[in-house]
Amino acid sequence: MHHAIAAWLTERPWRAAIAAAICGTFSLQMLMPFMVLAGAIPVLVALKSDARQALVVAATAAAAAIWIVVSLAPEASWLIAGVLVLTFGPVLLALLLRRAGSLNLCFQVAVAAVAAVVVVVHLVLPDPASVWVELLKRVIESMESAGLTLAGDTDAMIAIWSRTMWGALAALTLATLLGSLFLGCWWQTLLDSPGKFGEEYRRLRLGLVLGLAVTVLFAAAFVSKSALIASLAWVAFSALSFQGLAAAHRGKASGRLNRGWLAAIYVLLIVPLSMSITVLVLAIWGFADNWLRPRTQAV
């Protein structure tokens, strides 16, 4: 099915543009999977065709999503920046992939870029958590007006949630960027070199520099209450969960992990009640894999 989708999208240039625009239109109502698809289609075009056409396709997806933002929430102009990042970010990573030929490099660049943005936000804003307070208050008020009452001290909850929102948003952004990049790359390899994406994905690792940074970050998180460190920890967990998933695929390819267990991991990742635990387990697996896997291991 995915081979047919990729072939249909690349047969005519206008097909990719229209499909990306449709996904962009629905992306705000359902971030997953429509925003991932809106970013994956330009990635496919960038790898299969050329950069100019891919940027045009990304622009159609961004324009459709921005139109929805302006129509439904004109006061939420900050969403426009998010839309631009999530639609143009994957295609820029795809262009880097075309130039460098390393999916792992794109993975590392995406992780470093998102972490850098988190650092900049916490350096520029005098109180990053305060940005979310009013928004969270409105969310709670809307829940209460709908008959949903939260037990406990809502002010304390808002204070806790506001400290974690930047990290959660960064982790979600990284997951969406990488999801779009990986899906678009997989589509392209289905057309040109079946099996190549799996080989590349199974090699994912943070590497020495990012691995050391993550290790120091986790150590600091135990002794510090810094909102910046907490936010960066969210990014680290998101990145490590991708490496953990790559390790699971490597285990399946080598026969050490049953296919059913791999399928169970994906099911648990989309079930809300088990998602956070599964991500945590994958992140721990990814952290161990980054340091224990022999660097010469191919798959």
Side-chain angles (χ1 to χ4, degrees):
M1 182 182 73
H2 284 275
H3 183 280
I5 292 172
W8 184 85
L9 288 170
T10 53
E11 280 177 358
R12 300 285 187 275
W14 58 266
R15 291 179 178 176
I18 291 177
I22 292 173
C23 292
T25 301
F26 289 104
S27 60
L28 295 180
Q29 286 76 22
M30 190 180 294
L31 185 64
M32 302 288 185
F34 286 109
M35 185 55 81
V36 172
L37 292 170
I41 295 170
V43 168
L44 170 63
V45 176
L47 297 176
K48 186 67 178 173
S49 183
D50 59 75
R52 182 172 146 315
Q53 186 178 334
L55 291 172
V56 170
V57 173
T60 61
I66 290 171
W67 177 70
I68 296 297
V69 170
V70 174
S71 301
L72 299 180
E75 73 283 356
S77 57
W78 59 272
L79 278 174
I80 295 176
V83 167
L84 294 174
V85 168
L86 294 177
T87 49
F88 283 97
V91 74
L92 294 178
L93 290 172
L95 295 177
L96 174 62
L97 177 59
R98 282 188 59 167
R99 185 178 183 85
S102 172
L103 185 66
N104 194 62
L105 174 63
C106 295
F107 169 65
Q108 293 172 340
V109 167
V111 173
V114 172
V117 170
V118 171
V119 172
V120 169
V121 166
H122 282 77
L123 291 177
V124 171
L125 297 180
D127 186 8
S130 64
V131 174
W132 297 99
V133 172
E134 288 302 319
L135 177 61
L136 290 171
K137 284 182 178 178
R138 288 200 295 266
V139 170
I140 290 178
E141 289 171 359
S142 64
M143 292 172 63
E144 291 177 345
S145 62
L148 298 174
T149 304
L150 293 177
D153 187 351
T154 56
D155 290 336
M157 288 188 214
I158 290 174
I160 295 172
W161 291 344
S162 61
R163 283 173 51 83
T164 63
M165 286 301 293
W166 283 114
L169 180 63
L172 182 60
T173 299
L174 179 62
T176 306
L177 288 173
L178 292 176
S180 296
L181 174 67
F182 294 155
L183 179 58
C185 290
W186 180 45
W187 281 345
Q188 183 264 328
T189 57
L190 286 177
L191 297 176
D192 297 336
S193 50
K196 182 179 179 181
F197 172 78
E199 295 175 4
E200 290 290 324
Y201 183 77
R202 291 192 293 271
R203 294 192 184 102
L204 282 192
R205 75 188 312 157
L206 285 178
L208 179 60
V209 175
L210 287 177
L212 284 172
V214 166
T215 303
V216 173
L217 174 67
F218 286 157
F222 280 106
V223 298
S224 172
K225 295 183 179 180
S226 167
L228 173 58
I229 291 177
S231 296
L232 290 174
W234 279 81
V235 178
F237 272 111
S238 180
L240 286 170
S241 65
F242 275 100
Q243 183 167 341
L245 194 58
H249 277 275
R250 197 181 327 107
K252 187 260 179 185
S254 63
R256 296 191 304 269
L257 185 70
N258 186 276
R259 183 188 183 96
W261 282 109
L262 185 61
I265 291 173
Y266 278 99
V267 171
L268 292 172
L269 279 172
I270 62 175
V271 176
L273 293 176
S274 61
M275 183 186 302
S276 58
I277 296 176
T278 307
V279 169
L280 175 61
V281 171
L282 286 174
I284 294 172
W285 193 351
F287 183 81
D289 177 73
N290 192 66
W291 294 113
L292 300 179
R293 187 204 332 168
R295 300 190 183 279
T296 56
Q297 185 170 328
V299 293

